[in-house]
């Protein structure tokens, strides 16, 4: 196991690329012009900017200190992050306060890592001062606007040498149930995971990384910022807001560059396909898309089929769609659909899966559940392990997904107990060639079927009723498909105890595209309850309809079931009791 190559930090790759006068990163700004304005920096220009920032950092802080990146998502962010690596400090990729609604996450991360320096852009300085002076965060010693750093500082600067095991950055996870945790990503883990991505998706110097994912998110940071440096390829990016405002922009960027690789969560594929107009179809050519990574949230078979139906006629190849699996604690990338293969979908018995066994049934079966493959790991070990015994389970058995490899994070920043809980998994029956200790316990449930990994849910979200396991995302899919008044992907299912009985609750946002007369609570609830009873043999303890924006989500867009459950139990949900 492992990539047998000589260690080279990401900064080593950047230093080599400085001799190549070609485009490195292109930021497409739709704030200036709705058609987009391109801002491009070449490799030598980027190297000089990063070195200048690093030179300043070495004057005001030292190796091992934390430096928060609080730039808007533009070329300043790229230079600030790489400059931090050049300086040998520990980067903390976060975000400018004005570009995100996740203020609590930002405050929590800053309080946890206590950075000495904040890097930002001059345009964001007012909001940075408000954050520093108006919120309970440790006051930094220095606030630096990276776009005003004199490039001449780069003259004569030599990058601070880094060892493979030294932390490169802290990746704060997007969960909502516990205090912030910064996964410690070492220079080795970063270099190895970037190489694993290059191998898994055949990324070369001629590839183009395209996307809109935020840099503070693990998938956005690796796919749009670190991978291009590792592979020496061009990166073209915009902001999450530009995508959500007009999703066809993403597809246009994909079609506008050669040999493109992109990444997005499942909802983005569904959203982009649904918003395509006839004029868009006439103008788009997606034949140059080599890889479209689908991850970060459960991948639906219906989404894959819908995206292919919409974009296949535009040249998008079925084998380009790559359902994958990863998590921040593994830097990001773990497994993907094999090269040259279209996404594989298996139909399993939902009831048997709840009992911990993968049993294939025909698609028309009344307990049919379509699961999409997450493929196979690349240069790392993945095992399905019994939750209580630490025993490796055979193919066809559901258990917790454990990961082992040089890309796994070196624990959580200054949280030894939590680190031990997550990163110190021990196999009770390890084979002679398999490590017994040091396994990452992902908290995700999965099953191997015919050698491929399938994700079934989150351990913490599992609903256990009368000894049977039920996955909330499956109940959510049933509920949202039962009535058009329910807003897609804006509902949460969780378990509560009521009148001495444990059972599921559905909290769903209503769709504003359905008239008030067609979204009455009593009627919608009756239909949803019947559908859940039919497909899952479950009786809902409660069905709550709420206004759009009520159901909590994490910073990466996932449903925050625990946070929604907390709001439900505290009575703070904005319920719609009768007609909405």
């Amino acid at each position: 196991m492992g990539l047998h190559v000589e260690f080279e930090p990401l900064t080593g790759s950047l230093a080599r690329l400085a001799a190549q006068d070609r485009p490195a990163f292109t930021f497409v700004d739709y704030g200036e012009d709705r058609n987009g304005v391109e801002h491009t920096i070449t490799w030598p220009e980027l190297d000089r900017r990063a070195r200048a920032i690093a030179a300043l950092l070495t004057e005001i802080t030292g190796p091992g200190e934390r430096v928060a990146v609080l730039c808007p998502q533009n070329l300043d962010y790229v230079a600030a992050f790489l400059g931090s690596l050049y300086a040998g400090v520990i980067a903390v990729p976060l975000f400018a306060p004005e570009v995100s609604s996740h203020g609590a996450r930002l405050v929590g991360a800053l309080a946890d890592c206590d950075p000495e320096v904040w890097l930002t852009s001059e345009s964001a300085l007012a909001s940075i001062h408000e954050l520093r002076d108006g919120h309970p965060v440790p006051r930094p010693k220095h606030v630096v606007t990276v776009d005003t750093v004199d490039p001449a500082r780069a003259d004569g600067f030599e990058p601070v040498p880094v060892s493979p095991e030294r932390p490169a950055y802290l990746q704060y996870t997007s969960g909502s149930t516990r205090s912030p945790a910064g996964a410690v990503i070492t220079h080795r883990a970063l270099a190895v995971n970037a190489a694993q991505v290059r191998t898994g998706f055949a990324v070369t110097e001629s590839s183009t990384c395209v996307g809109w994912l935020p840099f503070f998110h693990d998938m956005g940071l690796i796919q749009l910022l670190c991978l291009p440096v590792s592979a020496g390829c061009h990166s073209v990016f915009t902001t999450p807001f530009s995508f959500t405002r007009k999703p066809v922009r993403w597809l246009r960027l994909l079609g506008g560059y050669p040999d493109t690789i992109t990444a997005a969560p499942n909802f983005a594929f569904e959203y982009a396909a649904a918003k395509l107009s006839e004029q868009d179809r006439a103008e788009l050519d997606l034949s140059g898309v080599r890889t479209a990574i689908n991850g970060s949230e459960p991948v639906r078979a219906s989404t894959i089929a819908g995206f292919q139906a919409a974009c296949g006629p535009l040249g998008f190849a079925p084998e380009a769609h790559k359902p994958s699996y990863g998590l921040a604690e593994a830097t990001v990338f773990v497994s993907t659909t094999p090269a040259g293969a279209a996404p594989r979908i298996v139909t399993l018995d939902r009831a048997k899966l709840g009992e911990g066994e993968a049993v294939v049934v025909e698609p028309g079966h009344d307990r049919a559940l379509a699961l999409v493959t997450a493929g196979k790991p690349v240069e790392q070990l993945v095992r399905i392990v019994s939750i209580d015994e630490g025993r490796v389970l055979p193919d066809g058995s559901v258990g917790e997904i454990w990961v082992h490899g040089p890309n796994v994070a070196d624990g959580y920043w200054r949280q030894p107990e939590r680190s031990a809980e997550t990163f110190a998994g021990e196999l009770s029956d390890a084979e002679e060639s398999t490590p017994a200790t040091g396994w990452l316990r992902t908290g995700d449930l999965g099953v191997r079927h015919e050698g491929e990994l399938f994700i079934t849910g989150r351990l913490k979200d599992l609903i256990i009723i009368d000894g049977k396991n039920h996955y909330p995302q499956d109940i959510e899919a049933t509920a949202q498909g039962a009535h058009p008044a329910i807003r897609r992907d804006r509902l949460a299912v969780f378990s509560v105890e009521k009148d001495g009985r444990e059972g599921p609750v559905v909290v769903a946002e209503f769709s504003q595209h359905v008239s008030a007369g067609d979204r009455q609570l009593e009627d919608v609830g009756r239909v949803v309850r019947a559908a859940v009873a039919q497909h899952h043999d479950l009786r809902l303890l409660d069905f709550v309809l709420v206004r759009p924006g009520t159901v909590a989500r994490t910073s990466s867009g996932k449903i925050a079931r625990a946070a929604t459950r907390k709001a439900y139990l505290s009575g703070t949900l904005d319920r719609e009791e009768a007609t909405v």
Side-chain angles (χ1 to χ4, degrees):
M1 180 194 71
L3 289 166
H4 303 292
V5 295
E6 186 177 347
F7 167 73
E8 180 184 54
L10 201 68
T11 48
S13 301
L14 178 59
R16 286 189 294 101
L17 289 165
Q20 302 182 25
D21 192 11
R22 54 188 177 86
F25 288 82
T26 297
F27 168 55
V28 184
D29 187 355
Y30 292 98
E32 293 184 29
D33 187 307
R34 64 181 181 180
N35 294 317
V37 176
E38 294 187 355
H39 302 273
T40 297
I41 192 170
T42 64
W43 288 114
E45 289 169 340
L46 175 60
D47 179 73
R48 184 168 174 79
R49 278 200 70 185
R51 285 174 184 264
I53 294 167
L56 176 58
L57 286 174
T58 58
E59 294 176 11
I60 61 177
T61 190
E65 292 294 338
R66 278 77 60 213
V67 172
V69 182
L70 300 166
C71 300
Q73 180 140 321
N74 55 28
L75 296 177
D76 291 347
Y77 201 114
V78 178
F81 180 78
L82 295 174
S84 299
L85 299 189
Y86 261 155
V89 299
I90 303 174
V92 186
L94 295 170
F95 47 89
E98 75 269 26
V99 300
S100 175
S101 60
H102 301 282
R105 180 178 190 266
L106 181 58
V107 169
L110 290 170
D112 183 67
C113 68
D114 189 12
E116 277 200 347
V117 181
W118 292 5
L119 299 181
T120 190
S121 303
E122 196 166 26
S123 63
L125 201 53
S127 63
I128 290 294
H129 287 162
E130 195 279 328
L131 171 66
R132 181 193 61 187
D133 300 333
H135 294 270
V137 297
R139 193 175 183 88
K141 292 181 179 178
H142 304 276
V143 174
V144 175
T145 51
V146 297
D147 49 338
T148 63
V149 173
D150 185 357
R153 284 182 174 272
D155 296 338
F157 173 80
E158 289 298 326
V160 175
V162 294
S163 67
E165 306 312 320
R166 179 181 288 183
Y169 64 96
L170 305 182
Q171 179 64 67
Y172 277 87
T173 57
S174 59
S176 62
T177 59
R178 303 173 74 175
S179 59
V184 180
I185 309 300
T186 65
H187 285 276
R188 182 189 301 281
L190 172 56
V192 166
N193 204 232
Q196 289 168 336
V197 175
R198 294 201 320 263
T199 300
F201 300 107
V203 182
T204 68
E205 195 174 274
S206 64
S207 302
T208 309
C209 294
V210 174
W212 49 268
L213 291 175
F215 288 147
F216 67 82
H217 185 256
D218 50 10
M219 192 156 67
L221 183 71
I222 295 298
Q223 187 254 324
L224 290 174
L225 201 162
C226 299
L227 175 61
V229 177
S230 177
C233 65
H234 191 192
S235 176
V236 180
F237 68 93
T238 188
T239 66
F241 179 76
S242 294
F243 163 74
T244 55
R245 187 74 178 267
K246 197 170 184 180
V248 73
R249 290 168 172 164
W250 177 38
L251 302 183
R252 287 174 182 162
L253 292 179
L254 284 173
Y257 294 87
D259 194 16
T260 54
I261 172 173
T262 193
N266 187 81
F267 88 87
F269 291 90
E270 192 169 298
Y271 182 47
K275 293 294 184 179
L276 272 177
S277 68
E278 288 304 316
Q279 182 177 344
D280 294 333
R281 297 175 197 275
E283 297 172 349
L284 283 171
D285 178 4
L286 301 179
S287 59
V289 181
R290 295 288 175 264
T291 301
I293 302 168
N294 190 334
S296 180
E297 63 184 15
V299 181
R300 294 192 188 130
S302 59
T303 300
I304 292 174
F307 191 80
Q308 191 59 41
C311 298
L314 309 178
F316 184 82
E319 60 270 19
H321 207 139
K322 295 297 182 189
S324 304
Y325 172 67
L327 65 164
E329 289 81 357
T331 303
V332 66
F333 172 72
V334 173
S335 69
T336 189
T337 312
R344 182 164 170 246
I345 299 167
V346 299
T347 307
L348 302 178
D349 185 313
R350 179 185 283 109
K352 290 292 185 183
L353 194 67
E355 295 170 7
E357 182 183 6
V359 176
V360 177
V361 295
E362 293 297 320
H365 193 280
D366 60 357
R367 294 196 303 270
L369 174 67
L371 282 186
V372 180
T373 181
K376 299 180 180 181
V378 178
E379 301 291 350
Q380 51 193 294
L381 299 177
V382 173
R383 298 290 185 268
I384 305 299
V385 181
S386 61
I387 298 167
D388 299 322
E389 302 172 337
R391 179 172 51 86
V392 177
L393 298 174
D395 276 20
S397 297
V398 177
E400 186 179 11
I401 301 169
W402 287 22
V403 177
H404 198 290
N407 57 295
V408 171
D410 192 23
Y412 293 121
W413 178 252
R414 294 180 176 173
Q415 297 193 42
E417 291 184 5
R418 196 165 171 181
S419 295
E421 177 186 327
T422 302
F423 294 94
E426 294 188 17
L427 295 178
S428 61
D429 60 345
E431 299 175 355
E432 188 174 340
S433 59
T434 303
T437 60
W439 286 82
L440 165 62
R441 302 189 57 173
T442 68
D444 291 316
L445 293 169
V447 61
R448 279 185 181 274
H449 176 71
E450 297 182 355
E452 293 194 24
L453 177 66
F454 292 81
I455 315 301
T456 60
R458 285 288 291 167
L459 182 59
K460 67 179 182 180
D461 291 334
L462 195 63
I463 297 173
I464 304 175
I465 306 293
D466 297 330
K468 295 181 180 180
N469 295 338
H470 300 272
Y471 297 99
Q473 69 270 20
D474 296 338
I475 302 173
E476 288 160 3
T478 296
Q480 75 176 15
H483 200 288
I486 296 177
R487 190 180 178 201
R488 290 191 63 81
D489 299 320
R490 294 297 190 275
L491 70 166
V493 172
F494 47 83
S495 181
V496 301
E497 185 175 326
K498 188 175 182 181
D499 300 327
R501 181 172 177 271
E502 188 82 9
V505 170
V506 174
V507 175
E509 295 181 9
F510 67 76
S511 171
Q512 293 176 306
H513 299 295
V514 176
S515 67
D518 292 329
R519 53 181 198 241
Q520 294 190 28
L521 175 63
E522 185 177 340
D523 294 339
V524 177
R526 182 172 59 251
V527 172
V528 170
R529 290 174 187 275
V532 171
Q534 177 184 350
H535 293 288
H536 304 275
D537 193 24
L538 283 174
R539 179 187 162 208
L540 291 184
L541 289 190
D542 199 1
F543 172 77
V544 184
L545 209 54
V546 295
R547 295 186 179 279
T550 302
V551 174
R553 298 175 75 82
T554 70
S555 61
S556 59
K558 300 175 185 176
I559 296 297
R561 299 184 182 93
T564 306
R565 181 179 185 271
K566 183 178 180 180
Y568 171 83
L569 292 174
S570 66
T572 58
L573 289 175
D574 187 10
R575 292 170 175 256
E576 294 299 317
E577 298 292 356
T579 302
V580 294

